[in-house]
Each structure stands twice: as structure tokens, then as C-alpha cells.
Amino acid sequence: MATICRLVSTGLILLFLPSLALGQRPAALSDWTNVLTIEPGTEIVLKTDDGGPGKVRLLSIGPRGLTWLRLDDPAISPDVATALRRSAALHPACFTDGRSHKLTAAVRIDDGAVYRTSRGTTRLFDLERVIAVTPRSDVVELSVVSFGRHMERHTSRGSLIGGVAAGLLGGVVTKGSTEDRTAIALAGFLVGSLVGLQVGAVVGLAAPINPTLLYRREQPQPEAHEVFRADTLVTSWLKRAR
């Protein structure tokens, strides 16, 4: 039975070792380095001082700010907007590398502009018209819409819930020595974790993807003299009330 306990314990360590390695203490939300690892082309939710723009497609990000695809101009035809949106998701570098890129059979980026190439070549507008730049100082919150993060969250929850439930159930219903009950509980935890992992994956596929908050600008703390002034006003009011 001791051998079974050791085997089950080894299985648990192998199962959760990747999570333990990645489960380091996360950086504070006010740390801008959280967002520097976001891949260009990722869909993000951006909140600035003026409240917008909301869900956009990231083109590039750096220590000073970020650039994103802006398609809120109603003058841009739907087929051109679709081509730009698709290219921003798959090949975001084509908006910033200064080279010529054929987006579709009818739309091309060249010489800092967007062209329609069906029935001749027509310059539509400058590329700057659809590239927005947001300085880091204007960013209030930044979240990422990531399918990978979404699935990781659901599978980890399913694995933990399934493992704990099966482990407790196995330990409670099993009769015998303490060693036997421990082995059954460990085995139940391992099996329950594997089953919960699969259930969590199914739930993740069915559930809507919620944005993951990566950055929130730190709010300034009130100055000491302001707190003292408020306290003084309250004290003065209490004296008058007497």
C-alpha cells in the first residue's frame, strides 16, 4: 500500500508541476511590463481617460504606449475594413514595416497608403487614418481577449474542483486502515483532477471569453494636508453642533 501511495503522490506532482512553476506571484496590475508580452494582432480591451475606445486589435506595444487598428470611420467600405481587420489579426507587422503587402485580391498596402487594386489602382486613404497611437500615460486599463488564457482558467478550476471532490469522497466512503483511506483519497484526487480537467475544457469551449485584466493605472493617493483639512472641518462642525 505504501508503494501505491508513492506512485499516486508522484502522479500528483507530475500533474500539477507545470501549474506550480507558472503559479508565481503575479506582478501588480499597475506594472506596465504586464502588457509588454502581448503579441501584436491580439484583441484587447482598451480604456483611456476619455472612456474609449473599447475592444480593438493591437498592432504594436512598447514602454511608451501602443498602436492599434482604428476602423470607426464610416467612410471606409466594409470590404476594405474586413481586409484590414483580418490582416491586423494575422499579419500586424504589415501596418508598421513600411513595405508593400497584398491583403486581398482587391486591397493592398503600399507606400504608407491603402489602395484598391480591382479595375485599376486607386489610392483610398493614408495608412495613418486607421492606425491610432495611445501613449502609456493615457491608458487607464488594458485587458486581453485571449482564448488560451480563457481555457487555462477553466481547466485549472475544473481540475482543482474535481480533484478535491473525488479525494474527499474517496477518503470518506472507504473503510479500512488510515493508510488505505489515504491511498484511496490520493487516487481519487488524481482521477478527479483528470476528469475535472476535461470537464473544465468543455465548459471553457461553451462559455463566453471574458477579457483578462493585465494593467490598471495606479490611482494617486490623497495628500496628507488634504486629509488633515477634512478632519479639521469635521471637528469644527462637531464643536458647533454642541
Side-chain angles (χ1 to χ4, degrees):
M1 187 61 67
T3 303
I4 296 177
C5 288
R6 285 196 297 269
L7 291 174
V8 174
S9 300
T10 303
L12 290 173
I13 293 174
L14 293 176
L15 176 64
F16 291 100
L17 186 59
S19 299
L20 293 174
L22 295 175
Q24 301 174 354
R25 185 177 180 180
L29 284 177
S30 58
D31 189 351
W32 185 255
T33 57
N34 292 340
V35 302
L36 295 181
T37 57
I38 303 177
E39 292 290 335
T42 301
E43 192 174 35
I44 62 172
V45 179
L46 180 62
K47 181 180 179 182
T48 58
D49 288 320
D50 59 1
K55 189 178 292 186
V56 296
R57 186 70 62 175
L58 180 69
L59 297 179
S60 65
I61 192 166
R64 296 184 178 182
L66 63 152
T67 61
W68 44 277
L69 184 67
R70 183 170 193 165
L71 294 175
D72 56 356
D73 189 344
I76 300 176
S77 61
D79 64 317
V80 173
T82 300
L84 294 173
R85 190 178 294 110
R86 183 175 182 275
S87 298
L90 300 177
H91 308 289
C94 68
F95 291 86
T96 57
D97 61 9
R99 296 188 295 177
S100 176
H101 295 275
K102 183 178 181 181
L103 307 186
T104 65
V107 181
R108 190 179 84 245
I109 291 177
D110 193 12
D111 193 26
V114 179
Y115 293 85
R116 183 181 295 279
T117 55
S118 59
R119 299 179 181 179
T121 301
T122 304
R123 183 186 177 103
L124 299 178
F125 49 82
D126 291 336
L127 194 57
E128 295 178 353
R129 184 171 168 182
V130 294
I131 298 179
V133 180
T134 300
R136 172 182 171 180
S137 58
D138 292 347
V139 178
V140 176
E141 288 183 359
L142 196 155
S143 305
V144 62
V145 184
S146 171
F147 179 75
R149 293 176 186 268
H150 170 78
M151 291 299 296
E152 179 183 354
R153 182 164 55 245
H154 280 281
T155 52
S156 60
R157 288 177 181 174
S159 179
L160 179 61
I161 294 173
V164 172
L168 290 175
L169 182 62
V172 170
V173 302
T174 301
K175 297 180 180 180
S177 64
T178 303
E179 187 178 18
D180 293 340
R181 297 177 65 181
T182 301
I184 295 298
L186 289 174
F189 187 82
L190 178 60
V191 174
S193 298
L194 295 174
V195 174
L197 190 70
Q198 303 301 320
V199 174
V202 173
V203 173
L205 289 173
I209 300 178
N210 297 319
T212 302
L213 180 64
L214 294 184
Y215 173 80
R216 176 183 290 143
R217 188 172 63 193
E218 188 174 5
Q219 299 298 322
Q221 298 296 325
E223 297 183 6
H225 68 85
E226 294 179 349
V227 177
F228 175 77
R229 183 180 303 171
D231 181 65
T232 303
L233 291 175
V234 172
T235 304
S236 175
W237 181 83
L238 290 175
K239 288 181 178 180
R240 293 179 182 179
R242 292 176 183 175

